[in-house]
Amino acid sequence: MFSLSSSSISMISTPSKPSSSRGGRGKAFFCSSDDGGGSNGDDDALLRDKTLLSKRDLMKRVAGGASVMLSSSSGLILPGLVPSSAFAAAGEEASSASVALPKIPRTEVPLKFTQEYPSAVIKGCWQLSGGHKGDPADDRTSKDKGAVEDFETFVNAGITTFDTGPTACGYGDSELVIGDFLKRNRNSEQCRVHTKLCCVGREQVAMTEKWVKENAFDVPSKRLGGLKKIDMVQMYWNDYGSSQYIDCALHLTDLKAKGLIGSVALTNFNTKKMEEMINKGAEISSNQIQYSLLDRRPDLKMNEFCKASGVKLLPYGVLAGGFLSSKFLETDVKDVVLDTGSKRKYSSVIRNFGGWGNLQKLLKVLDSIGKKHDQSIANVATRWVLEKESVLAVILGARNDFHVEDHQKLFQFTLDAEDKSKIDEVLSSTTKATGDCYDWERGGKW
């Protein structure tokens, strides 16, 4: 049971710190009298209704020329869509507007030590690990649910870079799903895959070049459909008590020199450890870390180091598992269902941010800014991260392809001075972090 209050989130049956563990649906309960908001119970009921026709299915029928009636006799519930008379009149116009959306651009500068320009939005594939099914009505996280087919929507929109990892890093079969897509897709040469080398066992004290090659190239290349070169390998290291992460980074640099991997990168390393590896000669291009309006730890040390070194950040958790979206605006925390791994993970980030009340204050400000620019709350939150000088691209996790069009609107606006001032004002009353990136997850301070 959860309590997301203005001062704390207490948890029973779920670890108090973020975890990659997978589980069933959990219910969040609001236990403080100073927070609140409207309920999203009606939306939940719609999602559970067996007669629901998803927006995705509807748009497919429209695109295929099928007739869709939205009458009281049809028995269809269409959440978020206009009545039939308005839809019929505006169908072609809406379809044309969708086609006219610009593609996601590639980054303005390449990854350090490479000539690679990833897409400015990267498709995060942790959601394909098996622990993010969520509501069955919009679950497309496995091969039999459409996960492979969804990649085409992302690629057509310009999102051609995919972030994944091995089972040891909690990514389940996501590499296999990507591999299936790459084998099926004729235009896969434009796609880039960023995977991970997960160092969590005895290899941390007995690191060998052979082990690194096997786990950084041999195994993932097969899972990814037989790739001859992996575009990026990001090293994760669990135990800072062993300094062999330096050796591992140098082994990866050797694999890059041999042409087996395109770039050497890190994930969830703090500034000090990253600097140690670079000083020893490792060709580190980027560090994938958690960065959002709720988790601003990179502002303390890492941003400045990245500016000086040329290493870029590839942030994840930008939308905090979807909590930074209109879905949770004015939502009573008692109605929040922790039904995905992302929601369970980021509920503890909300606690560190200062609780559900602080989140609601932030969402209201983001909503007002979004209305000013005709943008979603999610896009305003994403722009805040994307506009940081140290950030090269953002990783947006996806359970389906329902939000791709919204992603395409990300580059139609920027935050002005007034927007940033309003955001700074609401952030000033939230809990301030004092620790570096991922130190808290390793038992340190937030």
Side-chain angles (χ1 to χ4, degrees):
M1 181 173 70
F2 272 77
S3 166
L4 293 116
S5 70
S6 59
S7 60
S8 67
I9 294 178
S10 60
M11 186 191 310
I12 301 175
S13 80
T14 307
S16 62
K17 292 199 174 186
S19 170
S20 60
S21 61
R22 306 291 178 254
R25 295 167 67 90
K27 185 75 174 178
F29 293 94
F30 178 67
C31 300
S32 176
S33 60
D34 61 338
D35 296 309
S39 169
N40 66 347
D42 292 341
D43 292 339
D44 289 342
L46 286 176
L47 288 175
R48 289 191 295 267
D49 197 299
K50 294 181 179 179
T51 64
L52 179 143
L53 178 65
S54 72
K55 183 176 180 180
R56 173 192 177 87
D57 292 334
L58 177 63
M59 295 309 293
K60 278 188 173 181
R61 294 189 188 190
V62 172
S67 174
V68 180
M69 299 299 295
L70 308 185
S71 67
S72 58
S73 62
S74 68
L76 296 177
I77 300 175
L78 303 171
L81 297 179
V82 296
S84 57
S85 57
F87 185 87
E92 291 187 10
E93 181 179 348
S95 179
S96 299
S98 173
V99 173
L101 285 172
K103 284 192 173 185
I104 299 292
R106 291 191 178 273
T107 58
E108 295 181 356
V109 297
L111 288 158
K112 189 175 183 180
F113 301 113
T114 79
Q115 289 302 312
E116 284 295 324
Y117 295 76
S119 53
V121 172
I122 297 172
K123 182 184 185 326
C125 297
W126 181 42
Q127 284 69 19
L128 308 183
S129 65
H132 301 262
K133 296 181 183 300
D135 196 293
D138 57 9
D139 172 28
R140 294 180 65 83
T141 60
S142 57
K143 292 182 182 180
D144 62 327
K145 296 289 186 178
V148 177
E149 291 77 8
D150 277 357
F151 275 87
E152 185 173 354
T153 306
F154 286 87
V155 171
N156 289 340
I159 303 175
T160 56
T161 307
F162 315 136
D163 180 77
T164 183
T167 303
C169 271
Y171 283 81
D173 289 341
S174 67
E175 287 181 325
L176 298 174
V177 175
I178 294 172
D180 278 4
F181 170 74
L182 296 178
K183 286 186 290 186
R184 294 185 194 182
N185 192 278
R186 295 178 181 178
N187 299 317
S188 60
E189 67 276 358
Q190 67 180 306
C191 299
R192 298 292 180 266
V193 180
H194 297 176
T195 192
K196 296 175 181 69
L197 175 65
C198 215
C199 305
V200 295
R202 63 185 304 273
E203 67 276 0
Q204 294 178 98
V205 293
M207 181 58 59
T208 66
E209 182 179 4
K210 179 182 177 182
W211 185 91
V212 173
K213 180 179 181 296
E214 179 180 346
N215 291 276
F217 177 75
D218 295 343
V219 173
S221 65
K222 292 177 182 177
R223 285 168 59 87
L224 290 165
L227 291 181
K228 302 301 182 184
K229 179 180 180 179
I230 296 179
D231 301 295
M232 175 186 285
V233 175
Q234 304 162 102
M235 174 179 53
Y236 172 75
W237 193 271
N238 186 54
D239 183 11
Y240 279 171
S242 168
S243 63
Q244 290 197 27
Y245 51 82
I246 297 175
D247 298 320
C248 188
L250 293 174
H251 289 320
L252 288 172
T253 300
D254 289 340
L255 291 181
K256 177 179 178 294
K258 294 175 181 178
L260 296 180
I261 64 177
S263 62
V264 180
L266 307 172
T267 181
N268 292 328
F269 272 89
N270 66 20
T271 308
K272 179 181 178 181
K273 305 303 182 185
M274 183 164 59
E275 185 174 10
E276 288 177 5
M277 287 178 274
I278 291 172
N279 288 342
K280 292 293 184 178
E283 296 185 356
I284 305 299
S285 65
S286 63
N287 189 15
Q288 181 184 143
I289 44 83
Q290 185 170 287
Y291 199 2
S292 73
L293 284 162
L294 305 186
D295 181 2
R296 305 181 301 284
R297 286 177 290 177
D299 292 344
L300 299 176
K301 297 180 181 179
M302 192 163 290
N303 279 342
E304 287 303 317
F305 176 77
C306 288
K307 291 176 187 178
S309 66
V311 174
K312 292 294 187 178
L313 299 180
L314 299 178
Y316 67 88
V318 173
L319 298 178
F323 283 117
L324 288 172
S325 70
S326 59
K327 180 178 181 179
F328 294 95
L329 176 64
E330 297 184 349
T331 295
D332 191 321
V333 71
K334 291 180 297 198
D335 297 319
V336 177
V337 178
L338 302 178
D339 55 355
T340 69
S342 291
K343 289 179 184 176
R344 291 189 287 273
K345 171 183 172 64
Y346 292 106
S347 62
S348 40
V349 174
I350 294 173
R351 180 192 66 190
N352 289 333
F353 180 71
W356 193 255
N358 279 347
L359 173 65
Q360 288 301 313
K361 292 175 184 177
L362 175 61
L363 289 176
K364 290 177 182 177
V365 169
L366 299 182
D367 184 49
S368 68
I369 295 172
K371 289 176 179 176
K372 169 183 170 181
H373 295 286
D374 192 24
Q375 293 285 338
S376 65
I377 287 176
N379 278 356
V380 175
T382 302
R383 285 296 321 180
W384 185 88
V385 177
L386 195 57
E387 292 180 13
K388 297 293 183 177
E389 185 179 342
S390 60
V391 172
L392 183 66
V394 292
I395 300 169
L396 299 180
R399 296 173 54 250
N400 49 52
D401 64 0
F402 296 179
H403 302 291
V404 170
E405 288 186 3
D406 199 42
H407 298 341
Q408 290 177 261
K409 298 175 183 177
L410 257 175
F411 300 89
Q412 295 181 325
F413 81 112
T414 58
L415 299 177
D416 59 32
E418 180 186 31
D419 300 333
K420 294 175 182 178
S421 177
K422 289 181 178 180
I423 292 173
D424 288 344
E425 182 178 357
V426 72
L427 293 180
S428 67
S429 62
T430 63
T431 304
K432 306 291 188 300
T434 59
D436 201 358
C437 297
Y438 218 72
D439 282 354
W440 176 73
E441 289 83 349
R442 288 188 167 90
K445 59 183 180 181
W446 177 267

